[in-house]
Amino acid sequence: MGRVLLSIVVPCFNEEDVLARFHDHVTAELARLDGDFELVYVDDGSRDGTLPLLQELAGRDPDRARYLSFSRNFGKEAAMLAGLRHAAGDAVVIMDADLQHPPELVHRMVALHAEGYDQVVARRTREGDRVTRTLTARIYYWAINRLVDVELVDGVGDFRLLSRRTVDAVLDLGEYNRFSKGLFSWVGFRTTTFSYENAVREQGRSKWTFGKLLNYGLDGLLSFNNKPLRAAVHLGLLLTVVALGYAAWIVGDALVNGVTTPGYVTLLVAVTALAGVQMVMAGLIGEYVGRIYYEVKRRPHYLLKETGGGANPADTRVTGESLWETVAPK
Ligand code: UDP
Ligand code: MG
C-alpha cells in the first residue's frame, strides 16, 4: 500500500485544558508518518474556550487542521458521526481529545492497516480504574454478549482506525440511535485488536456519570435486536406455566385436605413480584417504541454552527441547518 491520507477525528467537549497539548502531541507524532494527515476536530457544543482554541489551531495550520462546531452539545456519538462524514482520509482514526488515547499508537494502527486490516482496534486495559467500575464492566460485557448479536469487547472503545470502506459502511447506517461500538462491530471487515495500557485522564474530568453509564449500557442492550423482547415473552411463558402448576397444586390440595391455610403472604408476594415484572416488561416495550419514535422523526443527528480550516473551501462555509445534509462525505 502506498501513501495514504490519514484523517484523525477528534470529538471535543469542554477540552480547553488539554486541546493545545493534544494538538502538538499528535502533530509531532504524525509528522513522522509516511503520508499526509488531517485533523478533524468536532466541537460538541463546548461551553468553555474550546471553540476559540480550535479556530486558532485551524488558522495556524489550515491545511492539516479543521474543525466543525455544533450548535449545542449533541453527544460524542453525534460528534464522531460528523467527524467521519467530513473526514477525507483513506483511513480514519477516531481519538479522544484528553490524551487518554496515546497518539504513539497511531503508527501501529497505520502499520496494521497497511497489512490489510480494515479496522484496527486499540483495547485498553483497566489499570487504574476503580474496582467497582472494572467489576461492573466485566459483568455487563458478560451479560450483553449473551444478549446481542454483535460482539462487544470490554476495554474496546472508539479508539480505532477504520479503512475508507469501513467508514462508508458505518456512514450508510442511517439510524438515529447510534451505539458506535456496536455499529463498528456490526459492519465487520478484517479486524484486529491490540492492547495498550490505560492512561489516567490528565486534565479536566470524565463526563461519564453513573447515570450516563447506565443509560449507555441499556442503549447497547437495546440497539441491536429484539432479543430482550423475546426474553420477556419467555419469562412470561415461564411464569404462566409456574402459576398454572401452582394453581393445580392448590386445587388438588384443597380437594384432598380441605381449605386450611389462608395464604395471604403467598398472594402478596405473587402480586407484587408480578407487578414488578410487568412494569419492567412495559418499560422494555416502551424503550423500543421510544426508539421507533426517534427514528420516525428523522431529525438530524446534530446541527453545525460553524466550520473552519481545511484546504477544501466547501468545508469552511458558515452553515445553517442544512449543512449536515449538503456536505456529502467524500
Ligand atoms: N465528548 C464529546 N461529547 C460529549 C462528551 C464527551 O465530544 O458529550 C468527547 C470528549 O471531549 C472526549 C471524548 O468524547 O474527547 C471522551 O470523553 P471522556 O473523556 O469524558 O470519556 P471517558 O474517557 O471517560 O470515557
Ligand atoms: Mg477520557
Side-chain angles (χ1 to χ4, degrees):
M1 208 173 286
R3 287 157 67 89
V4 290
L5 171 62
L6 183 71
S7 300
I8 312 279
V9 167
V10 192
C12 314
F13 178 53
N14 295 345
E15 299 285 7
E16 65 174 359
D17 294 338
V18 276
L19 211 52
R21 218 143 44 85
F22 172 86
H23 184 79
D24 293 342
H25 202 131
V26 172
T27 13
E29 202 55 51
L30 293 187
R32 300 198 282 120
L33 259 176
D34 174 34
D36 292 330
F37 67 91
E38 58 161 9
L39 285 151
V40 184
Y41 290 103
V42 185
D43 162 39
D44 185 10
S46 299
R47 285 178 282 268
D48 64 354
T50 300
L51 180 58
L53 214 85
L54 289 178
Q55 289 164 337
E56 191 205 310
L57 291 179
R60 235 196 292 151
D61 196 0
D63 288 342
R64 289 196 302 200
R66 56 206 169 96
Y67 67 91
L68 318 164
S69 180
F70 287 177
S71 61
R72 63 167 171 84
N73 181 244
F74 281 91
K76 191 186 175 188
E77 293 289 343
M80 287 194 296
L81 176 67
L84 289 179
R85 276 186 179 153
H86 284 258
D90 306 309
V92 180
V93 171
I94 304 171
M95 257 175 126
D96 284 2
D98 57 10
L99 286 170
Q100 276 187 304
H101 296 164
E104 304 80 60
L105 295 179
V106 173
H107 291 280
R108 196 149 155 207
M109 291 179 158
V110 172
L112 284 162
H113 173 57
E115 280 175 29
Y117 287 104
D118 287 285
Q119 291 199 47
V120 184
V121 185
R123 174 181 188 194
R124 76 182 184 100
T125 57
R126 283 200 172 267
E127 225 110 321
D129 267 15
R130 261 176 298 137
V131 187
T132 41
R133 187 150 167 196
T134 312
L135 196 70
T136 0
R138 284 259 167 80
I139 298 172
Y140 174 69
Y141 283 100
W142 177 83
I144 198 166
N145 279 310
R146 264 148 202 80
L147 280 169
V148 301
D149 297 327
V150 295
E151 197 196 349
L152 299 176
V153 183
D154 184 17
V156 161
D158 305 311
F159 186 27
R160 60 179 75 211
L161 178 146
L162 304 171
S163 66
R164 177 40 57 189
R165 63 172 176 175
T166 316
V167 172
D168 291 343
V170 168
L171 290 177
D172 272 347
L173 304 176
E175 55 219 77
Y176 187 79
N177 296 285
R178 298 185 81 79
F179 185 73
S180 290
K181 235 182 186 194
L183 295 182
F184 295 145
S185 170
W186 187 90
V187 296
F189 293 117
R190 283 193 71 195
T191 304
T192 181
T193 305
F194 66 85
S195 290
Y196 69 99
E197 198 137 314
N198 184 28
V200 179
R201 194 181 230 280
E202 291 192 24
Q203 236 127 64
R205 47 195 301 248
S206 171
K207 283 106 205 166
W208 288 103
T209 55
F210 176 74
K212 274 197 186 176
L213 271 179
L214 183 70
N215 284 332
Y216 186 72
L218 282 175
D219 270 345
L221 198 60
L222 299 175
S223 292
F224 281 93
N225 54 27
N226 59 1
K227 275 193 191 170
L229 284 177
R230 180 55 60 86
V233 174
H234 287 169
L235 184 63
L237 282 174
L238 182 74
L239 283 175
T240 311
V241 170
V242 170
L244 283 177
Y246 187 51
W249 185 75
I250 289 182
V251 172
D253 187 50
L255 286 178
V256 177
N257 301 325
V259 180
T260 46
T261 44
Y264 293 137
V265 176
T266 324
L267 199 64
L268 206 63
V269 169
V271 169
T272 44
L274 283 178
V277 170
Q278 279 177 11
M279 264 187 199
V280 172
M281 301 306 161
L284 190 63
I285 298 168
E287 278 289 333
Y288 282 99
V289 175
R291 264 146 228 273
I292 297 169
Y293 174 65
Y294 277 107
E295 296 293 342
V296 168
K297 283 206 273 194
R298 300 206 63 77
R299 292 218 174 132
H301 295 84
Y302 55 83
L303 293 179
L304 289 179
K305 176 171 69 180
E306 110 179 40
T307 64
N312 181 356
D315 287 323
T316 56
R317 278 182 303 184
V318 176
T319 51
E321 40 85 36
S322 60
L323 187 81
W324 69 279
E325 270 291 6
T326 52
V327 176
K330 277 155 281 169

